[in-house]
Every structure is written in structure tokens, then in C-alpha cells.
């Protein structure tokens, strides 16, 4: 593909999705990461998009853009599965566990199906369906509420359902992680629901692959200091690692298996 055609396709992808990642574009076009970064630099200078850490977004915005579940589930799959495996080791028999909506928590739910003696509270219809389909020997509580594009249940019914619960452990998925904005989401009501889950939990563990760093949604869920742990992958940059180690209770980095080339 010629450079002009590739750049037009990149601009179109940003306009369509709101936010795109360098790694996804490189795989889509069959070019190097450096080539994609140069394309983004050119398009940024032309005012067609805005360059961000690890990708590009709609100029001046995208903080309210919320990709659907199917799109998000195709991104950083290996990283999400590795993070989920690490998170699953924290779930012990007898615990009451919260799972917020998200594709990484969805991957975690599949692993938790293998455990016994857990009570799981979630505001994700998809996550509840995972447990139902597997006939897992767990107690699963699904909140009510209004459904979002990421298949989270939100709103006053959802938040009121968790106000009187007491969770041992919350696994929280987020849209973005930022040194100033903290953990964020593009959905105001989802942020409110996530804050309710945090308030009900003794321990909060954020699951966020390296691509979430530098991304920012319109609403802050929690400050970096407000969570006990972050589980991410070894692709997380050194600056991000330094900030998180200084400001969260604990940072866990998991190795990611290398994909086998065909």
C-alpha cells in the first residue's frame, strides 16, 4: 500500500473508531511500528488527527468515545489473557469478588469458572453469561441497570444494588490510565457504577494492559493512589512503571507469550 493510501486509511480509522493504536495499524497494513508513527506524525501536522502515546485519536476529543465490546475484545488479546491469569491467582475460596465490565475482566471470568466457593458480583451481562454457560459452581449476582456500548449495566438501579454489599476483592477494568487523570472511562454513568463497586470493596485491583497508559476518558473513576494494585504487562513503558510504582499500592507486570509466526 502506498503511503498516501495508508495515511488516508489511518485517518479514516481514527474518524471511525475515535482512538487507534500504533500496533493495530502496523498489523493492519503489514508495516513497521516506525512507519505507522511517521504516518501519524504527518497526519497530526496536517491537523487530521491528534497524536497520543501509543496511537492517535480524534483531534480535540475522543474522551467520550466508547468502543463496542467486539472491537475492544480484538485488541491486546495476549496481554489481556496474561493479565487475567495473574489476577485469577488472587481469587481464593470463600471470597466475595466484584468484576466490573470490560474485556480483560471478561477474560478473567473464563478462568474463575474453574474455581469453587466464590461469590461474584458483576454489572456485566457478558460476564454473567460466561458463568451461566459454564455451569460454574459459583454464586453469581448480576446488577440491574441500563446497558452501555461496552455491555456494562449502569445507572441508579445498578449503583443502589451494590451500596449494601461488602466485597473482599474488586477486579476493575478501565478505559485509560493517566498520571494526572487517574483511571478513567468515557461513560459518566459507568464511572459512577465503578466508584460504587470501589466503595464496597476491601481491596481494588485494576487490570490494564500497557496500551491503556496515556488514554483518557471524560470521567475519572479513581486516582492512582486510590487502588491497591495494578496488573499490567511487560510492554508498559518505563515512565509509566515509575509513576505507578510510586503512586499505587503495588504494580505487577506479567510477561506476554510471543505470537508464533506463520
Amino acid at each position: 500500500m502506498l503511503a498516501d493510501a495508508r495515511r488516508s486509511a489511518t485517518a479514516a480509522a481514527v474518524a471511525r473508531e475515535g482512538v487507534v493504536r500504533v500496533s493495530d495499524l502496523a498489523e493492519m497494513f503489514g508495516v513497521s511500528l516506525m512507519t505507522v508513527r511517521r504516518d501519524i506524525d504527518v497526519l497530526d501536522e496536517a491537523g487530521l488527527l491528534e497524536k497520543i502515546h501509543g496511537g492517535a485519536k480524534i483531534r480535540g476529543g475522543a474522551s467520550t468515545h466508547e468502543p463496542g465490546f467486539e472491537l475492544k475484545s480484538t485488541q491486546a488479546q495476549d496481554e489481556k489473557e496474561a493479565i487475567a491469569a495473574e489476577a485469577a491467582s488472587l481469587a481464593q475460596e470463600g471470597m466475595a469478588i466484584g468484576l466490573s465490565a470490560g474485556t480483560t475482566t471478561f477474560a478473567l471470568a473464563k478462568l474463575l469458572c474453574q474455581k469453587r466457593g466464590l461469590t461474584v458480583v458483576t454489572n456485566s451481562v457478558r460476564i454473567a453469561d460466561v458463568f451461566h454457560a459454564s455451569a460454574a459452581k459459583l454464586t453469581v449476582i448480576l446488577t440491574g441497570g441500563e446497558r452501555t456500548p461496552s455491555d456494562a449495566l449502569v445507572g441508579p438501579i445498578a449503583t443502589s444494588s451494590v451500596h449494601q454489599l461488602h466485597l473482599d476483592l474488586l477486579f476493575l477494568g478501565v478505559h485509560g490510565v493517566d498520571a494526572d487523570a487517574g483511571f478513567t472511562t468515557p461513560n459518566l454513568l459507568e464511572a459512577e457504577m465503578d466508584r460504587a463497586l470501589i466503595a464496597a470493596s476491601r481491596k481494588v485491583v485494576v487490570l490494564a494492559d500497557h496500551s491503556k497508559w496515556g488514554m483518557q476518558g471524560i470521567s475519572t473513576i479513581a486516582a492512582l493512589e486510590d487502588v491497591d494494585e495494578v496488573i499490567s504487562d511487560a510492554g508498559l513503558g518505563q515512565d509509566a512503571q515509575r509513576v505507578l510504582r510510586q503512586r499505587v499500592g503495588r504494580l505487577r507486570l506479567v510477561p506476554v507469550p510471543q505470537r508464533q509466526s506463520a
Side-chain angles (χ1 to χ4, degrees):
M1 180 181 289
L2 296 177
D4 286 346
R6 191 176 60 242
R7 290 166 186 167
S8 293
T10 297
V14 171
R16 182 176 63 253
E17 304 297 347
V19 179
V20 296
R21 299 193 310 159
V22 168
S23 57
D24 290 336
L25 293 173
E27 184 174 350
M28 181 189 307
F29 300 136
V31 297
S32 68
L33 298 177
M34 184 60 66
T35 296
V36 174
R37 292 191 184 101
R38 285 197 294 264
D39 288 344
I40 289 175
D41 285 339
V42 171
L43 294 168
D44 181 72
E45 291 175 3
L48 297 176
L49 50 73
E50 183 174 343
K51 179 182 179 181
I52 60 173
H53 178 77
K57 68 183 183 71
I58 296 172
R59 179 163 289 277
S63 62
T64 60
H65 176 74
E66 186 173 7
F69 187 92
E70 282 75 15
L71 173 63
K72 291 194 292 185
S73 66
T74 65
Q75 300 170 343
Q77 290 175 296
D78 292 343
E79 289 87 343
K80 290 174 181 177
E81 290 175 3
I83 290 168
E86 180 70 17
S89 69
L90 302 180
Q92 303 298 321
E93 185 174 352
M95 281 185 169
I97 292 176
L99 289 180
S100 76
T103 51
T104 311
T105 48
F106 180 80
L108 172 59
K110 295 178 180 179
L111 299 179
L112 294 182
C113 288
Q114 304 167 17
K115 293 182 176 283
R116 294 172 177 264
L118 296 178
T119 296
V120 178
V121 176
T122 185
N123 67 319
S124 168
V125 176
R126 289 187 184 249
I127 286 175
D129 284 345
V130 166
F131 292 120
H132 177 73
S134 71
K137 298 184 182 301
L138 309 173
T139 299
V140 180
I141 300 170
L142 176 64
T143 71
E146 179 182 352
R147 201 167 186 165
T148 72
S150 60
D151 284 331
L153 297 177
V154 299
I157 294 175
T159 55
S160 65
S161 68
V162 300
H163 280 161
Q164 296 185 32
L165 298 179
H166 304 283
L167 304 176
D168 296 300
L169 180 59
L170 171 65
F171 293 110
L172 181 68
V174 298
H175 170 80
V177 185
D178 182 83
D180 296 320
F183 304 102
T184 65
T185 173
N187 189 296
L188 293 170
L189 291 176
E190 191 162 351
E192 183 180 11
M193 179 59 181
D194 287 344
R195 287 192 290 268
L197 287 167
I198 289 172
S201 304
R202 293 175 56 193
K203 182 176 182 179
V204 179
V205 179
V206 170
L207 310 182
D209 68 80
H210 71 275
S211 70
K212 302 294 180 70
W213 182 259
M215 301 287 283
Q216 189 177 122
I218 192 174
S219 185
T220 293
I221 301 166
L224 299 183
E225 292 84 358
D226 292 337
V227 307
D228 299 288
E229 292 192 22
V230 171
I231 304 180
S232 189
D233 62 88
L236 190 67
Q238 291 298 315
D239 287 344
Q241 291 186 35
R242 175 182 55 78
V243 171
L244 292 174
R245 290 188 193 282
Q246 288 175 349
R247 297 175 57 187
V248 302
R250 179 177 181 180
L251 172 65
R252 297 176 186 240
L253 295 179
V254 298
V256 179
Q258 295 296 313
R259 294 180 180 178
Q260 297 296 319
S261 57

